[in-house]
Amino acid sequence: MGEQPIFSTRAHVFQIDPNTKKNWVPTSKHAVTVSYFFDCTRSVYRIISLDGSKAIINSTITPNMTFTKTSQKFGQWADSRANTVYGLGFSSESQLAKFAEKFAEFKEAARLAKEKSQEKMELSSIPSQQESIPGDLLSPLSPDTINGTELERVTPDTPQHIEPRAEPSHKTLPPSHSSSSMNKHWEAELEALKGNNAKLTAALLESSANVKQWKQQLGAYQEEAERLHKRVTELECVSGQTTVIKSQKTALNQTIEELEAALKAKEEELERLKEEVESANGFQFKKESLSQKLQDTESRNQALEARLSELEQRLEGQQQEREAFRDSLRSLLELLDGKIFELTELRDTLGKLLESS
C-alpha cells in the first residue's frame, strides 16, 4: 500500500538560516498542509509538506529526534539527515499541542520498530533470507497524495511484517552468525543510499518546480515591462498633468522596488540550490543538468537587471523633460506678463489722447 497520511494539520513552515544558524527563513508564503506519513512495509514515519509542487519538508522521524515548543504557537525539531532545523507556526495552541503529541507518539513507534527489527535480524538463521536485500527505494510523493484537511487523522492498520532496518550493532556475534553480520552491513549501506536518494529526489523536485515558477515569473516580468513602457508613453502625452505624473511615478517606483526584491529573493534561491546540488555527490549527470538550469536562470536575472536599469534611465529622462517643460512655461508666462503690461500702457496712452482731443 506504500505510504499513507495518518495525521494532517496546517501551519506556516520555516527553516533555519544555513549561514547564520540563528534566523528563521520562511519557506511558505501562507499556511500549508503538514502531514505525518507511515510506510507500513518499512515501518517508517515521515513529516512531509508541499507548497504547490515544491517539497518544503521531507523529514524521516528517528528515535533521537526531539520536538521543542519554543513559544505558545511555535515549535521546532532538528533533522540531521537534511542538515537543517524545521520550524512550524500554528494558528492556535491546541494545534501545536496536537502536533507535538503525534510527534512523540510516532517517535516512540519508530523506536519500537527499530528494536523489533534488530531482534528479528539477530534471531534470523536462514542464510537465504539473511542475504536478501530489499531493492525498492523511497519514492517522492506527488502533491495529490499529501492534500489533506486540517487536523485530519487516519489510523493505519498494524503491520503484520516489518522489514529490518539497518542500525549499527555494537554486539560481537559468534562465527555462526557471520552471515547475519554481513546482512547488517548491507542493510546499513542500503539505508545510507536511501537517505541520499531521498535528499536528491527532494532537491530535483524542488529545482524543477522552481524552474517552472521562474519561467512563469519571467513572463510576468516581461508583461510588466511592456506595461511600464506603455505608461511612460502615456506620461509623455500628458506631461502637463503634474498630479497624474506624480501618482504614476510613485507606482513605477513601487514596481521597481518589488522587482528588485524579487530579484534578490531569486538570487538567494539560486545560492541555496547551488549548495544542494553540490552536496549530491555520485549523481554527476543530474548535477550538471541542474547547473545548466541555474546558469540559464542567472542569465535571465541579468536581463531583468538590464531592463530595470533601462527603466530607471527612462524615468530620469522623463524628469528632465518635465523640468524643461516647466521652464518653458515660466518663460512663456513672463513673456505674457510683458505683453500684458505693454497693452496696458498702450490703453492708457490711447485714453489720454481721446481725453485731450
Side-chain angles (χ1 to χ4, degrees):
M1 294 180 63
E3 288 185 307
Q4 297 293 330
I6 54 178
F7 178 79
S8 298
T9 186
R10 294 184 66 82
H12 292 271
V13 180
F14 300 85
Q15 281 191 10
I16 200 70
D17 190 338
N19 297 323
T20 63
K21 300 295 184 182
K22 294 181 180 180
N23 301 325
W24 289 106
V25 178
T27 56
S28 62
K29 296 181 180 179
H30 49 78
V32 296
T33 300
V34 182
S35 302
Y36 286 99
F37 276 75
F38 175 68
D39 188 349
C40 60
T41 60
R42 285 178 284 271
S43 296
V44 173
Y45 293 87
R46 288 203 294 168
I47 303 175
I48 298 177
S49 178
L50 297 180
D51 187 5
S53 60
K54 176 182 175 182
I56 56 179
I57 297 180
N58 186 3
S59 177
T60 302
I61 299 177
T62 59
N64 58 349
M65 282 185 177
T66 302
F67 184 81
T68 305
K69 298 179 183 179
T70 57
S71 66
Q72 294 181 349
K73 299 180 181 180
F74 192 87
Q76 67 183 48
W77 77 95
D79 190 338
S80 58
R81 293 184 179 180
N83 193 25
T84 188
V85 179
Y86 294 104
L88 296 179
F90 296 89
S91 59
S92 64
E93 298 181 25
S94 60
Q95 290 183 355
L96 173 60
K98 192 69 174 178
F99 188 90
E101 177 185 348
K102 292 299 177 183
F103 192 98
E105 177 184 342
F106 299 144
K107 170 185 173 182
E108 179 66 17
R111 185 186 66 81
L112 295 176
K114 174 182 174 182
E115 294 178 353
K116 189 172 182 181
S117 64
Q118 286 181 343
E119 293 176 359
K120 286 196 173 212
M121 287 182 356
E122 292 175 357
L123 295 177
S124 178
S125 59
I126 302 176
S128 61
Q129 294 180 354
Q130 293 171 345
E131 294 175 1
S132 64
I133 299 176
D136 54 337
L137 300 176
L138 291 174
S139 61
L141 294 172
S142 65
D144 295 336
T145 61
I146 196 168
N147 290 334
T149 58
E150 184 175 1
L151 300 179
E152 178 183 359
R153 179 180 179 183
V154 180
T155 305
D157 297 335
T158 302
Q160 299 297 327
H161 174 70
I162 302 175
E163 291 184 7
R165 290 180 60 191
E167 296 291 339
S169 175
H170 299 285
K171 297 180 180 180
T172 304
L173 298 177
S176 61
H177 293 127
S178 61
S179 59
S180 176
S181 177
M182 183 179 297
N183 184 42
K184 292 180 180 179
H185 172 72
W186 285 110
E187 289 287 344
E189 293 292 334
L190 178 62
E191 286 296 325
L193 183 59
K194 286 181 179 180
N196 292 335
N197 182 70
K199 291 178 183 178
L200 182 62
T201 301
L204 289 176
L205 178 63
E206 182 177 359
S207 176
S208 61
N210 287 337
V211 169
K212 182 178 180 181
Q213 184 180 4
W214 291 336
K215 288 181 178 180
Q216 295 175 352
Q217 291 182 352
L218 179 59
Y221 292 156
Q222 291 175 346
E223 294 178 357
E224 182 68 15
E226 186 67 22
R227 187 176 67 84
L228 291 177
H229 179 70
K230 292 180 179 179
R231 281 191 178 183
V232 171
T233 305
E234 294 173 359
L235 288 175
E236 291 175 353
C237 297
V238 292
S239 57
Q241 301 177 1
T242 56
T243 304
V244 177
I245 290 176
K246 289 182 179 179
S247 63
Q248 292 183 349
K249 177 186 174 182
T250 303
L252 288 174
N253 290 334
Q254 292 177 353
T255 303
I256 291 174
E257 292 176 357
E258 292 175 357
L259 290 174
E260 289 176 348
L263 284 174
K264 184 177 180 181
K266 293 308 172 189
E267 289 175 355
E268 295 175 355
E269 186 73 10
L270 284 173
E271 292 297 329
R272 187 172 64 82
L273 282 175
K274 286 180 181 178
E275 294 175 358
E276 291 178 355
V277 171
E278 290 174 357
S279 65
N281 296 325
F283 298 91
Q284 188 65 28
F285 177 76
K286 295 179 180 179
K287 177 181 177 181
E288 292 176 356
S289 176
L290 290 176
S291 299
Q292 183 63 36
K293 291 179 181 179
L294 289 174
Q295 291 176 1
D296 294 341
T297 306
E298 288 178 350
S299 64
R300 292 171 184 172
N301 283 336
Q302 291 176 358
L304 288 176
E305 290 177 354
R307 290 184 180 181
L308 284 176
S309 177
E310 182 181 355
L311 286 176
E312 291 177 352
Q313 292 177 357
R314 288 182 180 180
L315 284 175
E316 291 177 359
Q318 183 185 2
Q319 290 177 353
Q320 294 176 357
E321 291 178 359
R322 187 170 65 251
E323 291 297 329
F325 183 75
R326 288 179 178 175
D327 293 339
S328 63
L329 285 178
R330 292 192 188 99
S331 61
L332 181 60
L333 288 175
E334 291 175 356
L335 181 61
L336 287 175
D337 289 340
K339 295 296 182 181
I340 291 171
F341 181 75
E342 291 176 358
L343 289 174
T344 303
E345 289 182 347
L346 179 60
R347 178 181 175 278
D348 294 338
T349 303
L350 291 174
K352 290 178 180 179
L353 288 173
L354 287 175
E355 290 177 358
S356 61
S357 62

